[in-house]
């Protein structure tokens, strides 16, 4: 099973709301990633978790807060977002070795009003 | 820092024909990995093919093959017998051997397939 699942598929939130995105994989992968993608642009890396520890934070604003409760689950907590944060948020996972490819989830389409 | 360049924002191919998408990259490293990802409209990004830099042999996956020229830092993707389902955004990506799994993407090439 090479599936990464993400919920919800779509999310509309106001600038004062708090919401969370969820990502799950059951492939035994030990690295998980959050990306932000604007239309017709490549994904931009936000965070990397390796063995449930945050290993890379690409200078993401603090209104985005990642969490990795266990090796299969990755959350992204959202608070006080701006309209320019509207985008497709992709989760990915990969095996331990550097050569292992990343498997992407279908994404959550976020709209901030 | 590494960079990846895809110089063709859009490409078009006739069904059943062959098309080649270009990708060049810049790095000072000798060990790395290169990938082509496909993202159909409103659909999931999937891996098409990967290449380890230490391998001289070009990777092949069914109708997809690469032309990897390490000295020229070029990594093009050839799609043979193009099908309507090949229409998508294609991203070339670079992954360093030792940088925590970070993928560096090119800007993408949007491929359309004409029936």
């Amino acid at each position: 099973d090479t599936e990464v699942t993400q919920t919800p598929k779509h999310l509309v939130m106001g600038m004062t709301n708090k919401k969370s995105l969820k990502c799950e994989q059951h492939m035994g992968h030990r690295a998980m990633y959050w990306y932000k993608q604007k239309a017709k642009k490549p994904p931009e890396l936000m965070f990397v978790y390796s063995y449930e520890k945050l290993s890379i934070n690409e200078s993401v604003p603090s209104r985005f807060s990642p969490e990795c409760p266990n090796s299969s689950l990755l959350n992204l907590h959202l608070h006080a977002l701006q309209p320019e944060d509207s985008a497709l948020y992709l989760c990915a996972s990969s095996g331990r070795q550097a050569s292992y490819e990343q498997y992407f989830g279908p994404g959550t389409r976020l709209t901030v009003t | 820092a590494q960079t990846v360049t895809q110089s063709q924002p859009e490409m078009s191919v006739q069904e059943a024909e062959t098309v080649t998408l270009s990708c060049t990259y810049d790095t000072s490293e000798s060990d790395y990995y290169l990938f082509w990802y496909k993202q159909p409209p409103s659909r999931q990004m999937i891996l098409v093919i990967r290449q380890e830099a230490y391998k001289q042999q070009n990777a092949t996956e069914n109708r997809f093959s690469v032309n990897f020229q390490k000295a020229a830092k070029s990594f093009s993707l050839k799609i043979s017998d193009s099908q309507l389902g090949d229409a998508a955004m294609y991203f070339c990506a670079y992954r360093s051997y030792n940088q925590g799994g970070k993928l560096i993407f090119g800007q993408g090439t949007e491929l359309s397939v004409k029936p």
Side-chain angles (χ1 to χ4, degrees):
Chain A
D1 183 7
T2 57
E3 190 178 56
V4 176
T5 59
Q6 289 187 245
T7 54
K9 286 193 169 116
H10 301 274
L11 178 63
V12 179
M13 61 184 290
M15 290 189 284
T16 58
N17 291 158
K18 286 185 181 181
K19 296 285 185 183
S20 296
L21 309 184
K22 178 180 171 181
C23 172
E24 201 160 3
Q25 58 89 11
H26 295 286
M27 295 177 278
H29 289 171
R30 302 313 300 266
M32 297 185 77
Y33 312 77
W34 280 116
Y35 290 87
K36 173 184 177 181
Q37 187 181 27
K38 293 280 197 178
K40 299 202 174 186
K41 294 292 185 183
E44 300 171 23
L45 182 66
M46 299 174 72
F47 303 103
V48 180
Y49 272 84
S50 180
Y51 289 87
E52 297 153 54
K53 291 190 187 321
L54 184 64
S55 59
I56 296 178
N57 177 342
E58 291 285 290
S59 303
V60 178
S62 59
R63 58 185 183 269
F64 295 91
S65 175
E67 178 196 20
C68 190
N70 59 58
S71 60
S72 301
L73 191 56
L74 186 66
N75 297 321
L76 185 63
H77 303 297
L78 315 172
H79 173 56
L81 295 192
Q82 303 296 310
E84 59 265 29
D85 296 322
S86 299
L88 181 68
Y89 287 84
L90 297 169
C91 174
S93 70
S94 68
R96 182 177 60 85
Q97 296 185 23
S99 62
Y100 285 9
E101 54 264 29
Q102 293 183 22
Y103 292 91
F104 285 82
T108 293
R109 178 76 59 189
L110 174 67
T111 302
V112 182
T113 60
Chain B
Q2 298 85 18
T3 59
V4 177
T5 301
Q6 292 178 248
S7 59
Q8 307 151 316
E10 298 176 350
M11 292 280 286
S12 180
V13 64
Q14 205 71 32
E15 197 174 6
E17 297 293 308
T18 295
V19 65
T20 298
L21 308 184
S22 302
C23 173
T24 58
Y25 58 95
D26 189 28
T27 184
S28 59
E29 300 177 325
S30 57
D31 290 327
Y32 50 87
Y33 304 89
L34 296 166
F35 305 90
W36 278 99
Y37 281 90
K38 167 187 176 182
Q39 189 175 34
S42 301
R43 292 188 63 188
Q44 200 156 338
M45 185 171 293
I46 59 172
L47 178 71
V48 175
I49 201 165
R50 78 173 194 192
Q51 175 81 43
E52 292 90 339
Y54 64 86
K55 289 187 177 179
Q56 292 186 335
Q57 187 173 5
N58 290 325
T60 299
E61 288 287 341
N62 301 314
R63 297 183 295 107
F64 298 87
S65 61
V66 297
N67 183 3
F68 173 50
Q69 301 288 329
K70 191 173 183 179
K73 297 179 183 174
S74 171
F75 182 61
S76 60
L77 175 69
K78 184 171 84 170
I79 306 174
S80 304
D81 185 26
S82 296
Q83 300 174 359
L84 295 177
D86 294 333
M89 183 72 88
Y90 286 82
F91 292 103
C92 177
Y94 172 102
R95 178 170 175 164
S96 174
Y97 190 80
N98 289 316
Q99 287 188 11
K102 181 176 179 178
L103 277 177
I104 298 168
F105 287 94
Q107 289 301 304
T109 296
E110 188 169 19
L111 177 68
S112 59
V113 181
K114 297 178 180 177

